[in-house]
Coordinates of all heavy atoms in Angstrom, one line a residue:
T1 N 0.9 -1.2 -0.1 CA 0.0 0.0 0.0 C 0.9 1.3 0.0 O 2.0 1.2 0.5 CB -0.9 0.1 1.3 OG1 -0.1 0.2 2.4 CG2 -1.9 -1.2 1.3
P2 N 0.4 2.3 -0.5 CA 1.2 3.6 -0.5 C 1.6 4.0 0.9 O 2.7 4.5 1.1 CB 0.3 4.6 -1.1 CG -0.8 3.9 -1.9 CD -0.9 2.6 -1.2
N3 N 0.8 3.9 1.9 CA 1.0 4.4 3.2 C 2.1 3.5 3.8 O 3.1 4.1 4.4 CB -0.1 4.2 4.2 CG -1.2 5.3 3.9 OD1 -0.7 6.4 3.3 ND2 -2.3 5.1 4.4
A4 N 2.2 2.3 3.5 CA 3.3 1.3 4.1 C 4.6 1.7 3.5 O 5.6 1.8 4.1 CB 3.0 -0.1 3.8
S5 N 4.6 1.9 2.1 CA 5.9 2.3 1.5 C 6.4 3.6 1.9 O 7.6 3.8 2.1 CB 5.7 2.2 0.0 OG 4.9 3.2 -0.5
S6 N 5.5 4.6 2.1 CA 6.0 6.0 2.5 C 6.5 5.9 3.9 O 7.6 6.6 4.2 CB 4.9 7.0 2.3 OG 3.8 6.7 3.2
S7 N 5.9 5.1 4.8 CA 6.4 5.1 6.2 C 7.7 4.3 6.3 O 8.7 4.6 7.0 CB 5.4 4.5 7.2 OG 5.1 3.2 6.8
S8 N 7.9 3.2 5.5 CA 9.1 2.5 5.5 C 10.3 3.3 4.9 O 11.3 3.2 5.4 CB 9.0 1.1 4.8 OG 8.8 1.2 3.4
S9 N 9.9 4.1 3.9 CA 11.1 5.0 3.3 C 11.5 6.0 4.2 O 12.6 6.3 4.3 CB 10.6 5.5 1.8 OG 9.5 6.4 2.0
S10 N 10.5 6.6 5.0 CA 10.9 7.6 5.9 C 11.7 7.1 7.1 O 12.5 7.7 7.6 CB 9.7 8.5 6.4 OG 8.9 7.5 7.2
S11 N 11.4 5.7 7.5 CA 12.2 5.2 8.6 C 13.5 4.8 8.1 O 14.5 4.8 8.9 CB 11.4 4.0 9.2 OG 11.4 2.9 8.3
K12 N 13.7 4.5 6.8 CA 15.0 4.3 6.4 C 16.0 5.5 6.4 O 17.2 5.3 6.5 CB 14.9 3.7 4.9 CG 14.5 2.2 4.8 CD 14.4 1.8 3.4 CE 13.7 0.4 3.4 NZ 13.5 0.0 2.0
R13 N 15.4 6.6 6.2 CA 16.2 7.8 6.2 C 16.7 8.1 7.6 O 17.8 8.6 7.9 CB 15.3 9.0 5.7 CG 15.2 9.1 4.3 CD 14.5 10.3 3.8 NE 13.3 9.9 3.2 CZ 12.1 10.5 3.3 NH1 12.1 11.4 4.1 NH2 11.0 10.0 2.6
G14 N 16.0 7.8 8.7 CA 16.4 7.8 10.0 C 16.8 9.4 10.5 O 17.7 9.5 11.2
H15 N 16.0 10.3 10.0 CA 16.3 11.7 10.4 C 15.7 12.1 11.8 O 16.2 13.1 12.3 CB 15.7 12.7 9.3 CG 16.5 12.5 8.1 ND1 18.0 12.8 8.0 CD2 16.2 12.1 6.8 CE1 18.4 12.6 6.7 NE2 17.3 12.1 5.9
S16 N 14.7 11.4 12.3 CA 14.2 11.9 13.6 C 15.1 11.3 14.7 O 15.2 10.1 14.9 CB 12.7 11.4 13.7 OG 12.7 10.0 13.7
N17 N 15.6 12.3 15.6 CA 16.3 11.9 16.7 C 17.4 10.9 16.5 O 17.5 9.9 17.1 CB 15.4 11.5 17.9 CG 14.5 12.4 18.3 OD1 14.8 13.6 18.3 ND2 13.2 12.1 18.7
P18 N 18.4 11.2 15.5 CA 19.5 10.2 15.2 C 20.4 10.1 16.4 O 21.0 9.0 16.6 CB 20.1 10.8 14.0 CG 19.8 12.3 14.0 CD 18.5 12.4 14.8
F19 N 20.7 11.1 17.2 CA 21.7 11.0 18.3 C 21.4 9.9 19.2 O 22.2 9.0 19.5 CB 21.9 12.3 19.0 CG 22.9 12.3 20.1 CD1 24.2 12.3 19.6 CD2 22.6 12.0 21.4 CE1 25.2 12.2 20.7 CE2 23.6 11.9 22.3 CZ 24.9 12.0 22.0
P20 N 20.1 9.8 19.9 CA 19.8 8.7 20.8 C 20.0 7.3 20.1 O 20.5 6.3 20.8 CB 18.4 8.9 21.2 CG 18.1 10.4 20.9 CD 19.0 10.7 19.7
R21 N 19.5 7.2 18.9 CA 19.7 5.9 18.1 C 21.2 5.5 18.0 O 21.5 4.4 18.4 CB 19.2 6.0 16.8 CG 17.6 5.7 16.8 CD 17.1 5.3 15.4 NE 16.4 6.5 14.8 CZ 15.3 6.9 15.1 NH1 14.5 6.1 16.0 NH2 14.6 7.9 14.5
K22 N 22.0 6.5 17.6 CA 23.4 6.2 17.5 C 24.0 5.9 18.8 O 24.9 5.0 18.9 CB 24.1 7.4 16.7 CG 23.7 7.6 15.3 CD 24.4 8.8 14.8 CE 24.0 9.1 13.3 NZ 24.7 10.2 12.8
L23 N 23.7 6.6 19.8 CA 24.2 6.3 21.1 C 24.0 4.9 21.6 O 24.8 4.1 22.1 CB 23.7 7.3 22.1 CG 24.1 7.3 23.6 CD1 25.6 7.4 23.7 CD2 23.4 8.2 24.4
M24 N 22.7 4.5 21.5 CA 22.4 3.1 21.9 C 23.1 2.0 21.0 O 23.6 1.1 21.6 CB 20.8 2.9 21.7 CG 20.0 3.7 22.7 SD 20.3 3.1 24.3 CE 19.7 1.5 24.3
D25 N 23.2 2.3 19.7 CA 23.9 1.5 18.9 C 25.4 1.3 19.3 O 26.0 0.3 19.4 CB 23.8 2.0 17.4 CG 24.1 0.9 16.5 OD1 23.9 -0.2 16.6 OD2 24.7 1.3 15.4
M26 N 25.9 2.5 19.5 CA 27.4 2.5 20.0 C 27.5 1.7 21.4 O 28.5 0.9 21.4 CB 27.8 4.0 20.1 CG 29.2 4.1 20.7 SD 29.5 5.9 21.2 CE 28.5 6.0 22.5
L27 N 26.6 2.0 22.3 CA 26.8 1.3 23.6 C 26.7 -0.3 23.4 O 27.2 -0.9 24.3 CB 25.8 1.9 24.6 CG 26.2 3.3 25.1 CD1 25.1 4.0 25.8 CD2 27.4 3.2 26.0
Q28 N 25.9 -0.6 22.4 CA 25.6 -2.1 22.3 C 26.8 -2.8 21.6 O 27.1 -3.9 21.9 CB 24.3 -2.4 21.5 CG 23.1 -2.0 22.4 CD 21.8 -2.1 21.5 OE1 21.9 -2.1 20.3 NE2 20.7 -2.0 22.2
K29 N 27.4 -2.1 20.7 CA 28.4 -2.8 19.7 C 29.9 -2.5 20.1 O 30.7 -3.3 19.8 CB 28.2 -2.1 18.3 CG 26.9 -2.6 17.8 CD 26.8 -2.1 16.3 CE 25.4 -2.5 15.8 NZ 25.2 -2.0 14.5
E30 N 30.3 -1.5 20.8 CA 31.6 -1.1 21.1 C 32.2 -1.9 22.2 O 31.5 -2.4 23.0 CB 31.8 0.4 21.3 CG 31.5 1.2 20.0 CD 32.3 0.9 18.9 OE1 33.5 0.4 19.0 OE2 31.8 0.9 17.7
E31 N 33.6 -2.0 22.2 CA 34.2 -2.8 23.3 C 33.9 -2.1 24.6 O 34.0 -0.9 24.8 CB 35.7 -2.7 23.1 CG 36.3 -3.4 21.9 CD 37.8 -3.2 21.8 OE1 38.5 -3.4 22.8 OE2 38.2 -2.8 20.8
A32 N 33.8 -3.0 25.7 CA 33.5 -2.5 27.0 C 34.6 -1.8 27.6 O 34.6 -1.0 28.5 CB 33.1 -3.7 27.9
A33 N 35.9 -2.1 27.0 CA 37.1 -1.5 27.5 C 37.1 0.0 27.1 O 37.9 0.7 27.8 CB 38.3 -2.3 27.2
I34 N 36.4 0.3 26.1 CA 36.3 1.8 25.7 C 35.1 2.5 26.2 O 35.2 3.6 26.9 CB 36.4 1.9 24.2 CG1 37.6 1.1 23.7 CG2 36.3 3.3 23.7 CD1 37.7 1.0 22.1
V35 N 33.9 2.0 26.0 CA 32.7 2.6 26.5 C 31.6 1.5 26.8 O 31.6 0.6 26.0 CB 32.2 3.6 25.4 CG1 31.7 2.9 24.1 CG2 31.0 4.4 26.0
S36 N 31.0 1.7 27.9 CA 30.0 0.5 28.3 C 29.0 1.1 29.3 O 29.1 2.1 29.9 CB 30.8 -0.6 28.9 OG 31.3 -0.3 30.1
W37 N 27.9 0.3 29.4 CA 26.8 0.6 30.4 C 27.5 0.2 31.8 O 28.3 -0.6 31.8 CB 25.6 -0.3 30.2 CG 24.8 0.1 29.0 CD1 24.6 -0.4 27.8 CD2 23.9 1.2 28.9 NE1 23.8 0.1 27.1 CE2 23.3 1.2 27.7 CE3 23.7 2.3 29.8 CZ2 22.4 2.2 27.4 CZ3 22.6 3.2 29.5 CH2 22.1 3.2 28.2
L38 N 27.0 0.9 32.7 CA 27.4 0.6 34.3 C 26.5 -0.6 34.5 O 25.5 -0.9 33.9 CB 27.1 1.7 35.1 CG 28.1 2.9 34.9 CD1 27.8 4.0 35.8 CD2 29.6 2.3 35.1
P39 N 26.8 -1.4 35.5 CA 26.1 -2.6 35.8 C 24.5 -2.4 36.0 O 23.8 -3.3 35.6 CB 26.7 -3.1 37.2 CG 28.1 -2.6 37.1 CD 27.9 -1.2 36.4
R40 N 24.1 -1.3 36.6 CA 22.6 -1.1 36.8 C 21.9 -0.7 35.5 O 20.7 -0.7 35.4 CB 22.4 0.0 37.8 CG 22.7 -0.5 39.2 CD 22.7 0.5 40.4 NE 21.5 1.5 40.2 CZ 21.4 2.4 40.9 NH1 22.2 2.8 41.9 NH2 20.3 3.3 40.6
G41 N 22.7 -0.4 34.4 CA 22.1 -0.1 33.2 C 21.5 1.3 33.0 O 20.7 1.7 32.2
D42 N 21.7 2.2 34.1 CA 21.2 3.6 34.1 C 22.1 4.6 33.8 O 21.7 5.8 33.9 CB 20.5 3.8 35.4 CG 21.4 3.8 36.6 OD1 22.6 3.3 36.5 OD2 21.0 4.0 37.8
A43 N 23.3 4.2 33.5 CA 24.3 5.1 33.0 C 25.5 4.4 32.3 O 25.5 3.2 32.3 CB 25.0 5.9 34.3
F44 N 26.3 5.2 31.6 CA 27.3 4.6 30.9 C 28.7 5.3 31.2 O 28.6 6.4 31.7 CB 27.1 4.5 29.4 CG 27.1 5.8 28.7 CD1 28.3 6.4 28.1 CD2 26.0 6.6 28.5 CE1 28.3 7.6 27.5 CE2 26.0 7.9 27.9 CZ 27.2 8.3 27.3
V45 N 29.7 4.7 30.9 CA 31.0 5.3 31.2 C 31.9 5.2 30.0 O 32.0 4.2 29.4 CB 31.7 4.7 32.5 CG1 32.0 3.1 32.2 CG2 32.9 5.3 32.9
V46 N 32.7 6.2 29.8 CA 33.8 6.2 28.8 C 35.1 5.8 29.6 O 35.5 6.7 30.3 CB 33.9 7.5 28.1 CG1 35.2 7.5 27.0 CG2 32.6 7.9 27.3
R47 N 35.6 4.6 29.3 CA 36.7 4.1 30.0 C 38.1 4.5 29.5 O 39.1 4.6 30.1 CB 36.7 2.6 30.2 CG 35.4 2.2 31.0 CD 35.3 0.7 31.1 NE 34.1 0.3 31.5 CZ 33.7 0.1 32.8 NH1 34.5 0.5 33.7 NH2 32.5 -0.3 33.2
D48 N 38.1 4.7 28.1 CA 39.3 5.1 27.4 C 39.0 6.3 26.5 O 38.6 6.2 25.3 CB 39.8 3.9 26.6 CG 41.2 4.1 26.0 OD1 41.4 5.3 25.7 OD2 41.8 3.1 25.8
N49 N 39.2 7.5 27.0 CA 38.9 8.7 26.3 C 39.7 8.8 24.9 O 39.0 9.2 24.0 CB 39.3 9.9 27.1 CG 38.3 10.3 28.1 OD1 37.2 9.7 28.1 ND2 38.5 11.3 29.0
D50 N 40.9 8.4 24.9 CA 41.7 8.6 23.7 C 41.1 7.7 22.6 O 40.9 8.1 21.4 CB 43.1 8.2 23.9 CG 43.9 9.3 24.8 OD1 43.3 10.4 24.8 OD2 44.9 9.0 25.5
R51 N 40.9 6.4 22.8 CA 40.3 5.5 21.9 C 38.9 5.8 21.5 O 38.5 5.6 20.4 CB 40.5 4.0 22.4 CG 41.8 3.5 22.3 CD 42.0 2.1 22.9 NE 41.3 1.1 22.1 CZ 41.0 0.0 22.5 NH1 41.3 -0.4 23.7 NH2 40.3 -0.9 21.7
F52 N 38.1 6.4 22.5 CA 36.8 6.8 22.2 C 36.7 7.9 21.2 O 35.9 7.8 20.3 CB 36.1 7.3 23.5 CG 34.7 7.7 23.4 CD1 33.8 6.6 23.3 CD2 34.3 8.9 23.4 CE1 32.4 6.9 23.1 CE2 33.0 9.3 23.3 CZ 32.0 8.2 23.2
V53 N 37.6 8.9 21.4 CA 37.6 10.0 20.5 C 38.2 9.6 19.1 O 37.7 10.0 18.1 CB 38.4 11.1 21.1 CG1 38.7 12.2 20.0 CG2 37.7 11.7 22.3
S54 N 39.3 8.8 19.0 CA 39.9 8.4 17.7 C 39.2 7.3 17.1 O 39.1 7.4 15.8 CB 41.3 8.1 18.1 OG 41.5 6.9 18.8
D55 N 38.7 6.3 17.7 CA 38.1 5.1 17.1 C 36.5 5.1 17.0 O 36.0 4.8 16.0 CB 38.6 3.9 17.7 CG 40.1 3.8 17.7 OD1 40.7 4.5 16.9 OD2 40.7 3.0 18.5
V56 N 35.9 5.3 18.1 CA 34.5 5.2 18.3 C 33.7 6.4 17.7 O 32.8 6.2 16.9 CB 34.1 5.0 19.8 CG1 32.6 4.8 19.9 CG2 34.8 3.7 20.2
L57 N 34.0 7.6 18.2 CA 33.1 8.8 17.7 C 33.1 8.9 16.2 O 31.9 9.1 15.7 CB 33.7 10.1 18.3 CG 33.3 10.4 19.8 CD1 33.9 11.7 20.1 CD2 31.7 10.4 20.0
P58 N 34.2 8.7 15.4 CA 34.0 8.8 14.0 C 33.1 7.9 13.3 O 32.6 8.1 12.3 CB 35.4 8.7 13.5 CG 36.4 9.0 14.6 CD 35.5 8.5 15.9
R59 N 33.0 6.6 14.0 CA 32.0 5.7 13.4 C 30.6 5.9 13.5 O 29.8 5.5 12.8 CB 32.3 4.2 14.1 CG 33.3 3.4 13.5 CD 33.4 2.1 14.3 NE 34.8 2.1 14.7 CZ 35.3 1.5 15.7 NH1 34.4 0.6 16.4 NH2 36.5 1.4 16.1
Y60 N 30.2 6.8 14.5 CA 28.8 7.1 14.7 C 28.4 8.6 14.4 O 27.3 8.9 14.2 CB 28.6 6.7 16.1 CG 28.7 5.3 16.4 CD1 29.8 4.8 16.8 CD2 27.7 4.3 16.1 CE1 30.1 3.4 17.1 CE2 27.8 3.0 16.4 CZ 29.0 2.5 16.8 OH 29.2 1.2 17.1
F61 N 29.3 9.4 14.6 CA 29.1 10.8 14.4 C 30.1 11.6 13.5 O 31.2 11.2 13.2 CB 29.2 11.6 15.8 CG 28.3 10.8 16.9 CD1 28.9 10.0 17.8 CD2 27.0 10.9 16.9 CE1 28.1 9.4 18.8 CE2 26.1 10.2 17.8 CZ 26.8 9.4 18.8
R62 N 29.6 12.8 13.0 CA 30.4 13.5 12.2 C 31.6 14.3 12.8 O 32.5 14.6 12.2 CB 29.6 14.6 11.4 CG 28.6 13.9 10.3 CD 27.8 15.1 9.6 NE 27.1 15.9 10.6 CZ 25.8 15.9 10.5 NH1 25.1 15.4 9.5 NH2 25.1 16.8 11.4
H63 N 31.4 14.4 14.2 CA 32.4 15.1 14.9 C 33.3 14.2 15.6 O 32.9 13.1 15.9 CB 31.8 16.2 15.9 CG 30.9 15.5 16.9 ND1 31.3 14.6 17.8 CD2 29.6 15.3 16.8 CE1 30.3 14.2 18.5 NE2 29.2 14.6 17.9
T64 N 34.6 14.7 15.9 CA 35.4 13.8 16.7 C 36.0 14.6 17.8 O 37.1 14.3 18.4 CB 36.6 13.4 15.9 OG1 37.3 14.4 15.4 CG2 36.2 12.5 14.7
K65 N 35.1 15.4 18.5 CA 35.5 16.2 19.7 C 34.7 15.7 20.8 O 33.4 15.6 20.8 CB 35.3 17.6 19.5 CG 36.2 18.3 18.5 CD 36.0 19.7 18.4 CE 36.9 20.3 17.4 NZ 36.5 21.7 17.2
L66 N 35.3 15.3 22.0 CA 34.6 14.9 23.1 C 33.6 15.9 23.6 O 32.5 15.6 24.1 CB 35.6 14.4 24.2 CG 35.0 13.8 25.5 CD1 34.3 12.5 25.0 CD2 36.2 13.4 26.4
T67 N 34.0 17.2 23.5 CA 33.2 18.4 24.0 C 31.9 18.3 23.2 O 30.8 18.6 23.8 CB 33.8 19.7 24.0 OG1 34.5 19.9 22.7 CG2 35.0 19.7 25.0
S68 N 31.9 18.1 21.8 CA 30.6 18.1 21.0 C 29.8 17.0 21.4 O 28.6 17.1 21.4 CB 31.2 17.9 19.5 OG 31.8 19.0 19.2
F69 N 30.3 15.8 21.7 CA 29.6 14.6 22.2 C 28.9 15.0 23.5 O 27.7 14.7 23.7 CB 30.5 13.4 22.4 CG 29.9 12.2 22.8 CD1 28.9 11.5 22.0 CD2 30.1 11.7 24.1 CE1 28.3 10.4 22.4 CE2 29.4 10.6 24.6 CZ 28.5 9.8 23.7
Q70 N 29.6 15.6 24.4 CA 29.1 15.9 25.7 C 28.0 17.0 25.6 O 27.0 16.8 26.3 CB 30.2 16.5 26.7 CG 31.2 15.5 27.1 CD 32.4 16.0 27.8 OE1 32.9 17.0 27.5 NE2 32.9 15.3 28.6
R71 N 28.1 17.9 24.6 CA 27.1 18.9 24.4 C 25.8 18.2 24.0 O 24.7 18.5 24.3 CB 27.6 19.9 23.4 CG 26.7 21.2 23.3 CD 27.3 22.2 22.4 NE 28.6 22.6 22.9 CZ 29.7 22.5 22.2 NH1 29.7 21.9 21.0 NH2 30.8 22.9 22.7
Q72 N 25.9 17.2 23.0 CA 24.7 16.5 22.6 C 24.1 15.8 23.7 O 22.9 15.7 23.8 CB 25.3 15.5 21.4 CG 25.4 16.1 20.0 CD 24.2 16.6 19.5 OE1 23.2 15.9 19.4 NE2 24.2 17.7 19.0
L73 N 24.8 15.1 24.5 CA 24.3 14.4 25.7 C 23.6 15.4 26.5 O 22.4 15.0 27.0 CB 25.4 13.8 26.5 CG 26.1 12.6 25.9 CD1 27.4 12.1 26.7 CD2 25.2 11.3 25.8
N74 N 24.0 16.5 26.9 CA 23.4 17.5 27.6 C 22.1 17.9 26.9 O 21.1 18.1 27.7 CB 24.3 18.7 27.9 CG 25.4 18.4 28.9 OD1 25.4 17.5 29.6 ND2 26.5 19.1 28.7
L75 N 22.1 18.1 25.7 CA 20.8 18.5 25.0 C 19.7 17.4 25.2 O 18.5 17.8 25.1 CB 21.1 18.7 23.5 CG 21.9 20.0 23.0 CD1 22.2 19.9 21.6 CD2 20.9 21.1 23.3
Y76 N 20.1 16.2 25.3 CA 19.1 15.1 25.4 C 18.8 14.8 27.0 O 18.3 13.8 27.3 CB 19.5 13.9 24.7 CG 19.2 14.0 23.3 CD1 20.2 14.5 22.4 CD2 18.0 13.8 22.7 CE1 20.0 14.7 21.0 CE2 17.7 13.9 21.4 CZ 18.7 14.4 20.5 OH 18.5 14.6 19.2
G77 N 19.4 15.6 27.9 CA 19.0 15.5 29.3 C 20.0 14.6 30.1 O 19.8 14.3 31.2
F78 N 21.1 14.2 29.5 CA 22.1 13.4 30.2 C 22.8 14.3 31.2 O 23.2 15.5 30.8 CB 23.0 12.6 29.3 CG 22.5 11.5 28.5 CD1 21.7 11.6 27.3 CD2 22.6 10.2 28.9 CE1 21.1 10.6 26.6 CE2 22.0 9.1 28.3 CZ 21.3 9.4 27.1
R79 N 23.3 13.8 32.2 CA 24.0 14.6 33.2 C 25.2 13.7 33.7 O 25.2 12.5 33.9 CB 23.2 15.0 34.4 CG 22.1 15.9 34.1 CD 22.6 17.2 33.6 NE 21.6 18.1 33.1 CZ 21.4 18.4 31.8 NH1 22.1 17.9 30.9 NH2 20.4 19.2 31.3
R80 N 26.4 14.4 33.8 CA 27.5 13.9 34.4 C 27.4 13.4 35.8 O 27.0 14.1 36.6 CB 28.8 14.7 34.1 CG 30.1 14.1 34.5 CD 31.2 15.1 34.2 NE 32.4 14.3 34.5 CZ 33.5 14.5 33.7 NH1 33.5 15.3 32.7 NH2 34.6 13.7 34.0
I81 N 27.9 12.1 36.0 CA 27.9 11.6 37.5 C 29.3 11.5 37.7 O 30.1 10.8 37.1 CB 27.3 10.3 37.5 CG1 25.7 10.4 37.0 CG2 27.3 9.8 39.0 CD1 25.1 9.0 36.8
T82 N 29.7 12.2 38.9 CA 31.1 12.1 39.2 C 31.3 11.1 40.3 O 32.6 10.8 40.6 CB 31.7 13.5 39.6 OG1 30.8 14.0 40.7 CG2 31.7 14.4 38.4
K83 N 30.3 10.7 41.1 CA 30.5 9.9 42.2 C 29.5 8.8 42.2 O 28.2 9.1 41.9 CB 30.3 10.7 43.4 CG 30.9 10.2 44.7 CD 31.1 11.4 45.6 CE 30.1 11.3 46.8 NZ 30.3 12.2 47.9
G84 N 29.8 7.6 42.5 CA 28.8 6.5 42.5 C 28.0 6.5 43.8 O 28.3 7.2 44.7
P85 N 27.1 5.6 43.9 CA 26.2 5.5 45.1 C 27.0 5.0 46.3 O 28.1 4.4 46.2 CB 25.0 4.5 44.7 CG 25.5 3.8 43.4 CD 26.6 4.6 42.9

């Protein structure tokens, strides 16, 4: 049907909220030694900043600056946690 094809073609473009999708994809696929979920699954940690910036960010985003990534996180309501429970 025309509706089915138009909705599937728009979902293939993936223009709505690409950052959260890319973030989830990255957290599922990348090495835990670089970036991973914390055990409770309510936060993630970048364990190797250098490899994260040089290897991981370019795979998912157009920028390769940690500050740009942090700014995007802030826009989506993520906050930095400096101390665990």
Side-chain angles (χ1 to χ4, degrees):
T1 65
N3 287 342
S5 65
S6 65
S7 65
S8 66
S9 65
S10 66
S11 66
K12 284 180 187 174
R13 281 186 242 134
H15 289 298
S16 63
N17 297 327
F19 181 81
R21 273 195 259 286
K22 289 178 182 181
L23 177 62
M24 289 298 294
D25 198 32
M26 177 187 73
L27 287 166
Q28 291 170 348
K29 294 180 179 177
E30 294 302 324
E31 290 179 52
I34 301 173
V35 61
S36 66
W37 287 107
L38 291 178
R40 287 176 39 188
D42 58 353
F44 70 92
V45 62
V46 176
R47 299 179 192 276
D48 187 333
N49 281 352
D50 293 336
R51 287 177 63 198
F52 183 75
V53 169
S54 66
D55 301 342
V56 177
L57 280 182
R59 267 183 243 159
Y60 297 91
F61 306 104
R62 288 185 300 238
H63 56 77
T64 57
K65 293 182 181 175
L66 190 56
T67 53
S68 297
F69 179 71
Q70 291 169 329
R71 191 174 302 117
Q72 284 289 314
L73 288 171
N74 290 337
L75 285 172
Y76 283 93
F78 287 84
R79 294 295 171 250
R80 185 178 183 140
I81 300 171
T82 56
K83 203 161 108 168

